[in-house]
Amino acid sequence: MTIKLATCLVISLAVHSPAAAQAPPANRAPTSGTLRQIIPGHYVYTQNNAGRLFNSGVVAGSDGVLVFDALDSEALARSERQAIADVIKQPIRYLVSSPFHDPFSKGNLAYADVFKIGHDNYRAGLIDQMQRGQLSDEEQRTRMPNATYRDRMTLYLGGKEIQVLYFGNAHTKGDSVLFVPQDRIAYMSEVFFNDEFPNMAGGYGVSWIRVLDAVRALDADIFIPGHGSIPDDPKQTRAALDRLRQLLVDARDRIQNEITRGATEDQTVATVTLQQYEKMPQFAGTKEAVVRRIYKELKGTLP
């Protein structure tokens, strides 16, 4: 098993110690999900939280497994690990994390024994989030990546090449995309909301479009979303990816028109209704943030 670094690899001194068990509070999200094979050697573990789907990717080689995103709790991650052990029957060698947000990284607690990888900005965002949350030193150490990268990293699992890629700001400043050229499949985490209005509380909609263009240019047939279902014919995910791109383009263009005519941010929020997307899940709770973030990005005031 070989790790090839296409850019500088930063090895952190994370201590591998077992994470203390945590009793889930009342009204906690489900702590188990379902493992589904998409194509041979590729699986998705999905948590259904009140009808909203959260996906973790699983790549299986002849000598081990790579997990892409650990989801939202230690208990859920342990359920995924058990499903992998039952079905794939290979040890987990790597955990690659994309967004640092808890719904996709809290489960890192179940991977103290696994080599963890994330982008430089993922590590910075995770540290900031955990310190602001005043989490224990033990939890912070356990969740931290062992290695970070800047532009790309190449792993080999059973001789299969796995590319970990960074294309710029999208849902966060540190989103990773996992691409397996041999199998023409890309795992996108929260860079791809499948038929769900995207969450942009900390996102960058204009840059996000460029990231989607870079992913679409990969030699891939299948694109695995962080949220949403995967069709029986997984190649239909390209059309869904195109729909997300068009949504962001529509938002960007409408907001740019308002800026050109001199509208303030509040005026733009009131005017840019994006009503053609109002029936999409999560629209009501996220539309305003999308408009405000893209407005600031276009004005050059978004940090």
Side-chain angles (χ1 to χ4, degrees):
M1 188 162 36
T2 305
I3 300 178
K4 173 185 173 185
L5 302 185
T7 58
C8 177
L9 176 65
V10 181
I11 304 295
S12 70
L13 299 177
V15 177
H16 290 294
S17 59
Q22 296 182 352
N27 302 318
R28 181 79 178 175
T31 56
S32 65
T34 57
L35 184 68
R36 171 191 169 193
Q37 180 175 277
I38 304 302
I39 58 174
H42 295 270
Y43 302 77
V44 172
Y45 187 83
T46 300
Q47 176 205 45
N48 186 329
N49 187 355
R52 191 176 186 212
L53 304 182
F54 294 73
N55 299 321
S56 167
V58 179
V59 181
S62 61
D63 61 351
V65 170
L66 180 151
V67 173
F68 187 56
D69 288 331
L71 300 179
D72 80 347
S73 71
E74 181 176 3
L76 179 62
R78 292 200 181 281
S79 294
E80 178 173 4
R81 294 195 67 165
Q82 187 60 55
I84 290 169
D86 292 343
V87 175
I88 302 173
K89 305 183 189 305
Q90 291 282 355
I92 297 172
R93 306 291 189 188
Y94 302 109
L95 170 66
V96 177
S97 296
S98 185
F100 61 85
H101 300 137
D102 278 351
F104 284 83
S105 73
K106 189 79 168 178
N108 289 16
L109 288 167
Y111 289 90
D113 60 326
V114 173
F115 194 81
K116 294 183 283 295
I117 298 166
H119 187 263
D120 289 344
N121 294 339
Y122 161 82
R123 181 180 185 275
L126 182 63
I127 290 173
D128 178 68
Q129 174 180 267
M130 292 191 300
Q131 290 181 346
R132 285 189 289 106
Q134 299 183 328
L135 302 183
S136 70
D137 290 344
E138 181 181 11
E139 176 165 343
Q140 292 189 45
R141 285 194 301 268
T142 304
R143 290 176 65 180
M144 286 283 287
N146 302 102
T148 66
Y149 74 99
R150 292 179 183 170
D151 300 313
R152 62 186 292 146
M153 178 188 294
T154 302
L155 310 173
Y156 291 92
L157 204 58
K160 182 176 293 187
E161 179 182 337
I162 302 172
Q163 298 176 8
V164 187
L165 306 172
Y166 177 71
F167 294 117
N169 297 344
H171 178 67
T172 72
K173 288 184 175 181
D175 300 305
S176 290
V177 171
L178 198 76
F179 176 46
V180 185
Q182 176 181 326
D183 299 327
R184 303 172 66 91
I185 186 169
Y187 295 82
M188 298 182 64
S189 190
E190 289 192 294
V191 175
F192 182 14
F193 288 68
N194 183 14
D195 289 331
E196 177 180 304
F197 203 79
N199 184 307
M200 207 177 291
Y204 298 79
V206 179
S207 176
W208 199 329
I209 296 168
R210 295 193 293 268
V211 171
L212 292 179
D213 287 341
V215 176
R216 289 163 74 240
L218 295 173
D219 192 19
D221 295 324
I222 299 168
F223 303 86
I224 302 299
H227 292 286
S229 61
I230 299 165
D232 291 338
D233 177 2
K235 292 184 179 181
Q236 293 179 2
T237 51
R238 177 176 281 276
L241 190 67
D242 290 343
R243 290 194 293 273
L244 172 63
R245 182 186 184 279
Q246 188 59 53
L247 183 159
L248 294 173
V249 168
D250 289 344
R252 178 200 63 190
D253 292 351
R254 286 284 291 111
I255 294 163
Q256 184 60 68
N257 288 341
E258 294 303 306
I259 290 173
T260 299
R261 73 176 188 86
T264 66
E265 181 178 327
D266 287 341
Q267 288 170 338
T268 301
V269 169
T271 303
V272 178
T273 61
L274 299 174
Q275 64 184 29
Q276 69 269 42
Y277 299 109
E278 65 184 0
K279 294 183 179 180
M280 293 183 71
Q282 310 304 316
F283 175 87
T286 60
K287 174 261 178 183
E288 181 175 337
V290 167
V291 175
R292 290 192 183 278
R293 295 284 295 186
I294 293 178
Y295 182 96
K296 291 183 174 72
E297 191 176 0
L298 289 169
K299 293 282 284 186
T301 60
L302 191 62

